[in-house]
Amino acid sequence: QKEVEQDPGPLSVPEGAIVSLNCTYSNSAFQYFMWYRQYSRKGPELLMYTYSSGNKEDGRFTAQVDKSSKYISLFIRDSQPSDSATYLCAMSEDNYGQNFVFGPGTRLSVLP
Amino acid sequence: NAGVTQTPKFQVLKTGQSMTLQCAQDMNHNSMYWYRQDPGMGLRLIYYSASEGTTDKGEVPNGYNVSRLNKREFSLRLESAAPSQTSVYFCASSATSGGANEQFFGPGTRLTVL
């Protein structure tokens, strides 16, 4: 079993839809949770960052962490074609960059 | 302010050839990292440098060497390339090795080993 799992997609949704992206993990010691967005042929860029459990909202994006279920989610409201990208989750026990564990990513297409 | 830059963008090697991937950052960050990205595998850490003058192995260091030339530059060397090293290589940097630790990534180097 991989330490961090993500459905690879591709996930195709119409413009304006609510998108739900998810990761499951096996290490209960993870405390820091991140979502990165990666456009085609570009490097990842940090989208959301959460510590421990709970929700965090930033504009159209909401990150949720459920540590009891070892499950994190990223919700995108009013999705736009510009949201078409691969979304990577990452997590860590101690927030040291060298210890980040990345999921394989979910490819999202938002169709106009 | 260019952020993290990588050269070259693309490279094709034959098995057994050597090459060095270059990375530089202009954000005065202490920590730098080399990752490889393969389909279905996620980003995997090859080597990292927590600060100038130090380097340490990551998850998949075999077949690679690194040099932290100065605070700005961190290079990755393949001494004898193998087809299993065909991948996209990303360099990243961050301000500290702890605390709120946003990593900034370069645009990547696409390497094919024939």
Side-chain angles (χ1 to χ4, degrees), chain B:
Chain B
N1 188 342
V4 179
T5 57
Q6 292 183 237
T7 55
K9 287 186 168 50
F10 303 93
Q11 185 71 48
V12 178
L13 292 178
K14 294 181 180 178
T15 297
Q17 287 185 316
S18 61
M19 78 161 295
T20 300
L21 282 66
Q22 306 285 356
C23 173
Q25 52 90 9
D26 61 3
M27 296 174 281
N28 200 35
H29 284 168
N30 291 319
S31 301
M32 298 186 73
Y33 313 83
W34 276 106
Y35 291 93
R36 59 179 289 173
Q37 186 175 40
D38 302 293
M41 298 291 292
L43 288 162
R44 291 183 293 168
L45 185 65
I46 305 170
Y47 271 94
Y48 68 97
S49 171
S51 60
E52 187 180 355
T54 68
T55 60
D56 283 289
K57 295 178 181 179
E59 180 187 355
V60 288
N62 291 344
Y64 306 95
N65 285 302
V66 291
S67 296
R68 182 77 182 264
L69 304 169
N70 47 56
K71 193 170 186 179
R72 288 187 65 247
E73 298 172 288
F74 189 37
S75 63
L76 178 72
R77 182 158 178 86
L78 287 70
E79 290 291 350
S80 179
S84 60
Q85 294 177 305
T86 293
S87 188
V88 183
Y89 291 85
F90 288 101
C91 177
S93 70
S94 63
T96 64
S97 59
N101 193 6
E102 179 175 357
Q103 289 187 347
F104 292 83
F105 286 82
T109 294
R110 292 181 175 271
L111 175 67
T112 301
V113 182
L114 302 175

Side-chain angles (χ1 to χ4, degrees), chain A residues 70-81:
Chain A
K70 299 194 190 75
Y71 188 88
I72 69 170
S73 300
L74 178 70
F75 296 96
I76 307 174
R77 289 184 301 281
D78 187 26
S79 56
Q80 302 294 309

Side-chain angles (χ1 to χ4, degrees), chain A residues 49-64:
Chain A
Y49 170 90
T50 0
Y51 171 71
S52 195
S53 287
N55 294 359
K56 185 173 185 178
E57 190 173 320
D58 184 2
R60 296 184 295 111
F61 299 89
T62 300
Q64 282 187 354

Side-chain angles (χ1 to χ4, degrees), chain A residues 2 38 41 43 95-98, chain B residues 37 40 90 97 99 101 106 110:
Chain A
K2 289 183 182 176
Q38 185 176 19
R41 296 184 176 264
N95 201 35
Y96 284 83
Q98 60 267 30
Chain B
Q37 186 175 40
F90 288 101
S97 59
N101 193 6
R110 292 181 175 271

